[in-house]
């Protein structure tokens, strides 16, 4: 069983993770609601733990997206009380924390719930050769040769050994695309080299796609056939 906790404060992230693992449950942690949304697209979870301060400080769009998301998963809002050194727990949809604890949430809500993920676009495991660059002009020395691990109309995962920042802008050129126009993208997640049992990669969200590029992604077999068998 696996749950995920989100908190801006790194100390709280560590504390929440320790509290969950003490119950013999796996717990991933992220630092923002945006990172939570992106992670949920990749990994199935049995429940969500959301730091109350992080939720309160989120922008209106993130709050709206979060409330839509909370309907899909068992969700517990958390607040650490420094005075009493206790974890205060409020189940989503409830107005009182009475009778609620991390243990109750895990046992009564998360264990019976089948782990799930969210999908915005159908993701296909296709391996395109890609040039990626932090420089829109693909200046010499600023280009890395990469390969996609998967791709959808919303974005793709790219193998990379570089260091990246979430929300960083990059530019991509897909060598197998008939339309090789530069694609602007935004880094949504980064798995650094050395992460245990994980491929070093970035997940990116496309900012712009031309119609021909959308067609290539949606129907890769058709696009490859037409490229290799031109009319006439």
């Amino acid at each position: 069983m696996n749950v995920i906790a989100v908190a801006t404060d790194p100390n709280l992230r560590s504390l929440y993770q320790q509290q969950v693992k003490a119950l013999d449950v796996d717990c991933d942690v992220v630092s923002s609601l945006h990172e939570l949304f992106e992670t949920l697209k990749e990994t199935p979870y049995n429940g969500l733990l959301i730091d109350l301060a992080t939720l309160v400080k989120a922008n209106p769009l993130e709050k709206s997206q979060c409330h839509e998301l909370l309907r899909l998963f068992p969700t517990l809002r958390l607040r650490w009380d420094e005075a009493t050194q206790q974890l205060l727990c409020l189940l989503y949809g409830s107005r009182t924390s009475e009778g609620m604890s991390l243990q109750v949430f895990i046992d009564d809500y998360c264990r019976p719930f089948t782990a799930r993920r969210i999908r915005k676009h159908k993701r296909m495991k296709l391996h395109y050769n890609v040039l990626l660059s932090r420089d829109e002009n693909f200046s010499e020395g600023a280009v890395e040769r990469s390969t996609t691990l998967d791709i959808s109309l919303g974005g793709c995962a790219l193998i990379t050994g570089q260091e990246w920042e979430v929300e960083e802008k990059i530019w991509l050129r897909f060598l197998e695309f008939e339309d090789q126009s530069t694609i602007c993208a935004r880094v949504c997640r980064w798995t650094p080299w050395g992460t245990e049992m994980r491929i070093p990669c970035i997940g990116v969200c496309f900012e712009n796609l031309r119609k021909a590029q959308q067609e290539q992604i949606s129907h890769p077999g058709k696009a490859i056939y037409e490229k290799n068998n031109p009319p006439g």
Side-chain angles (χ1 to χ4, degrees):
M1 195 181 76
N2 196 15
V3 300
I4 184 169
V6 55
T8 304
D9 187 319
N11 294 324
L12 289 178
R13 286 200 300 274
S14 178
L15 185 147
Y16 296 156
Q17 189 174 50
Q18 290 172 8
Q19 296 261 336
V20 174
K21 288 191 171 183
L23 302 176
D24 199 27
V25 174
D26 292 331
C27 180
D28 294 332
V29 291
V30 292
S31 60
S32 68
L33 291 177
H34 178 77
E35 193 177 353
L36 173 67
F37 304 147
E38 294 303 320
T39 304
L40 284 169
K41 293 177 183 178
E42 305 297 331
T43 307
Y45 290 98
N46 301 84
L48 314 179
L49 304 170
I50 299 183
D51 175 60
L52 189 57
T54 301
L55 181 59
V56 169
K57 294 177 183 178
N59 64 50
L61 177 58
E62 287 179 326
K63 287 180 180 177
S64 174
Q65 291 174 330
C66 187
H67 286 301
E68 287 297 319
L69 190 64
L70 302 190
R71 300 175 185 176
L72 303 176
F73 295 85
T75 303
L76 194 67
R77 287 174 287 183
L78 303 174
R79 182 171 70 84
W80 178 252
D81 191 324
E82 285 288 349
T84 62
Q85 293 291 290
Q86 290 184 336
L87 189 62
L88 303 180
C89 305
L90 182 63
L91 185 69
Y92 177 73
S94 174
R95 296 185 177 182
T96 175
S97 60
E98 185 176 351
M100 180 50 61
S101 67
L102 193 55
Q103 181 79 68
V104 170
F105 175 70
I106 293 294
D107 290 342
D108 292 355
Y109 294 89
C110 296
R111 292 193 190 279
F113 183 81
T114 301
R116 65 182 301 180
R117 69 184 77 185
I118 59 173
R119 285 289 187 195
K120 184 175 180 181
H121 300 285
K122 181 181 179 182
R123 194 172 292 272
M124 296 169 284
K125 292 188 179 296
L126 296 173
H127 308 306
Y128 290 103
N129 293 297
V130 183
L131 299 179
L132 61 93
S133 176
R134 288 183 167 91
D135 175 14
E136 186 176 2
N137 297 314
F138 287 77
S139 302
E140 187 176 352
V143 179
E144 181 179 6
R145 295 174 179 176
S146 182
T147 304
T148 60
L149 294 171
D150 54 49
I151 189 168
S152 74
L153 284 172
C156 65
L158 292 157
I159 297 172
T160 174
Q162 297 189 55
E163 293 187 0
W164 299 89
E165 297 286 341
V166 173
E167 296 295 330
E168 185 174 356
K169 270 197 174 184
I170 65 170
W171 284 264
L172 311 172
R173 193 169 291 156
F174 286 75
L175 301 190
E176 284 88 0
F177 278 17
E178 186 171 356
D179 182 347
Q180 292 190 20
S181 302
T182 300
I183 297 171
C184 179
R186 173 173 45 82
V187 176
C188 300
R189 58 180 175 81
W190 171 49
T191 302
W193 184 91
T195 303
E196 187 175 356
M197 304 301 289
R198 299 287 297 275
I199 296 173
C201 65
I202 50 174
V204 304
C205 299
F206 297 139
E207 300 276 304
N208 66 309
L209 283 176
R210 294 193 175 191
K211 186 175 181 180
Q213 294 169 333
Q214 293 176 15
E215 181 71 13
Q216 175 98 39
I217 294 171
S218 299
H219 307 285
K222 176 175 177 288
I224 292 171
Y225 177 83
E226 291 178 348
K227 185 175 182 179
N228 293 331
N229 298 273

